[in-house]
Amino acid sequence: MFLKNSKKRLLASILTLFSITSFAPAHAEGQIRIAEQHGIIYLLLHVAQDQKLIEKHGKEQGLEIRPEWVKLSGGAAINDALLSNSIDIAGAGVAPLLTIWDKTKGKHNVRGVASLGNYPYKLISTNPNVKTIADFTEKDRIALPNAGVSVQSRILQLASAKLWGEENYKKLDRLSVTVPHPEATAAILKEGTEINAHFATPPFQDQELAGNPNAHVVLEAYDVLGGPSTATVLYATEKYRAENPKTYQVFIAALDEAAQYIKNNPEGAADAYLRVNKSNIDRDQLLAIIKSPDIEVKLTPQNTFTLADFMHRVGAIKNKPASAKDYFFDDAHNASGS
C-alpha cells in the first residue's frame, strides 16, 4: 500500500505539471523554468532562489527575469519534462544526464550546464544483518528515487559489478523500489513498511541516522566511485542555450554567486534552505551538514566519468564519451571538469 500510494502521488504531480505547461510556447530570452528535486544537494538553487540572484544578474544585463521553480521527484520525470519543453533547466543525477545525453545526441543535444557540488550519498539499512551489500536478501527492499536508472541505482549497480562481476551488475535491482526521498526517510524512521533500506542524500541520510538507532551505513558512494564526486547536476538542451544566451549566462553568474555565498556564509545558506523548503529540519543539524568537509559546493563537475564509463560498458548508454567534456557544455567552469 505504501508503494502504491507513493507511485500515485508521483504520477499525479507529473500529470499536473504537464497539464499546466506541456503546451506552453517556448520561453523567450529573459525567462527560465528550473526543475529540482528534494534535498540539500540542490542548495545552490535554493540560495539563488532565496537571494533572488537570477533576478539580480538579469537586471545587470538589462533583462527582467522571473524564474519559475518546479519540484519533481526522479530523473525520469525530470527528463520527460525537459524533452516536452515543460522546463528549461533540469536538476537531477549524473545518471539521468548521461541517459538523456545519449538518447538526444544529434537531436536535442542535451548536455550538462553545471555541477551542483560534491555530496556523499549513503546507503542506509535498518536490518542488523546487513553489513555490506552482499548481505541483502529477498526480505530487503531498497528505496531509490528511480529504481534502475537514478544515480543512486547506477552507483549500486557499479558496486554490484565490482563485487560480483559486471555480468551481475543488476543483481540488486530486484530489491530496489522507486520512492521519493521524503517518504523513504519516513519509512526508515518509523519502520514497519516493506522498505528497510534507502540510498539517500543529505539531509535525509543524516535524519535517518540520527532518528533511528537501527539505521546504519552499508555503502558510501565516494567509496564506490573512488573519491569525492559530483552526483547531481544541472542540464539543458542545446537549443535553449543557443536561443537564450543572455539568460543562460545570467543563470551561470547566479549559480557562481550562490556557490560563493554558501562558502562564505553557511549560516545564511542554512536559513535560505529552511525558508525555500519550509523545512522543519533541525537548524544545527542542517548547518553541520553544510559545513561538512565531505561536501564541496561548486559548479565544476568532478569524477563523473567513472559512472559514464561504467554505464557504457554495461550497455546503459550506446554512445561512448571520451571525457566529461562530451556531455557537459563547453563553458569556462566545465573546462577542468572530470
Side-chain angles (χ1 to χ4, degrees):
M1 182 63 70
F2 178 88
L3 293 180
K4 289 182 179 178
N5 290 338
S6 174
K7 290 179 180 178
K8 286 180 180 178
R9 283 190 288 272
L10 177 58
L11 178 60
S13 68
I14 295 171
L15 291 176
T16 298
L17 172 69
F18 285 175
S19 67
I20 295 172
T21 60
S22 287
F23 300 102
H27 280 177
E29 183 83 273
Q31 294 182 300
I32 186 169
R33 301 164 294 177
I34 306 158
E36 60 171 314
Q37 299 183 64
H38 301 281
I40 294 174
I41 54 178
Y42 293 92
L43 186 60
L44 264 179
L45 298 182
H46 301 151
V47 168
Q49 182 178 358
D50 180 73
Q51 300 295 306
K52 297 188 181 302
L53 299 181
I54 297 175
E55 295 90 331
K56 169 190 170 183
H57 286 276
K59 287 181 180 179
E60 293 175 356
Q61 297 300 318
L63 294 174
E64 193 71 29
I65 301 180
R66 294 181 180 179
E68 296 179 35
W69 303 91
V70 178
K71 184 161 285 187
L72 295 172
S73 181
I78 294 286
N79 285 355
D80 287 344
L82 185 64
L83 293 182
S84 69
N85 193 36
S86 299
I87 59 172
D88 303 307
I89 302 291
V94 169
L97 163 61
L98 291 165
T99 298
I100 197 171
W101 165 78
D102 183 58
K103 290 182 177 179
T104 65
K105 189 173 175 61
K107 301 173 185 177
H108 298 286
N109 291 321
V110 173
R111 296 174 74 185
V113 171
S115 160
L116 283 171
N118 297 347
Y119 290 85
Y121 289 13
K122 297 178 181 180
L123 175 57
I124 308 292
S125 174
T126 58
N127 184 345
N129 297 319
V130 176
K131 305 299 183 184
T132 73
I133 62 171
D135 299 322
F136 281 119
T137 70
E138 295 298 331
K139 296 180 180 180
D140 299 292
R141 290 296 179 270
I142 306 167
L144 302 162
N146 269 121
V149 297
S150 65
V151 66
Q152 290 93 337
S153 193
R154 295 301 186 187
I155 293 171
L156 187 55
Q157 289 175 351
L158 176 56
S160 298
K162 288 183 175 183
L163 181 61
W164 293 297
E166 288 201 349
E167 68 276 11
N168 295 309
Y169 78 98
K170 287 187 176 182
K171 187 177 179 68
L172 296 179
D173 280 13
R174 73 189 192 283
L175 306 180
S176 301
V177 291
T178 299
V179 183
H181 286 307
E183 294 184 24
T185 298
I188 293 296
L189 290 174
K190 296 178 181 178
E191 298 191 74
T193 74
E194 61 267 53
I195 294 170
N196 62 359
H198 177 205
F199 209 149
T201 65
F204 306 108
Q205 59 199 27
D206 305 271
Q207 291 175 307
E208 292 167 7
L209 292 170
N212 186 342
N214 294 325
H216 59 278
V217 178
V218 175
L219 184 77
E220 296 198 29
Y222 282 4
D223 293 336
V224 179
L225 297 169
S229 55
T230 298
T232 309
V233 294
L234 299 169
Y235 48 97
T237 64
E238 185 178 63
K239 184 175 185 289
Y240 177 78
R241 180 173 178 263
E243 293 182 354
N244 303 273
K246 289 184 179 180
T247 305
Y248 183 88
Q249 290 305 320
V250 162
F251 181 59
I252 297 299
L255 291 177
D256 186 60
E257 183 172 345
Q260 293 303 314
Y261 183 92
I262 295 167
K263 179 180 180 181
N264 298 326
N265 187 5
E267 291 84 0
D271 291 334
Y273 177 88
L274 293 172
R275 283 191 294 266
V276 169
N277 293 279
K278 297 179 175 58
S279 175
N280 60 1
I281 184 176
D282 180 78
R283 186 180 184 276
D284 290 339
Q285 183 184 50
L286 177 64
L287 193 56
I289 296 170
I290 295 173
K291 289 183 175 181
S292 169
D294 291 332
I295 291 176
E296 184 179 6
V297 180
K298 60 180 182 177
L299 274 62
T300 303
Q302 181 178 345
N303 193 21
T304 66
F305 189 72
T306 299
L307 206 58
D309 185 54
F310 166 72
M311 287 178 64
H312 178 262
R313 291 201 312 270
V314 298
I317 57 175
K318 296 179 181 178
N319 293 289
K320 183 179 181 179
S323 72
K325 292 181 180 180
D326 285 345
Y327 48 88
F328 276 91
F329 287 120
D330 58 350
D331 299 324
H333 60 272
N334 291 328
S336 60
S338 61

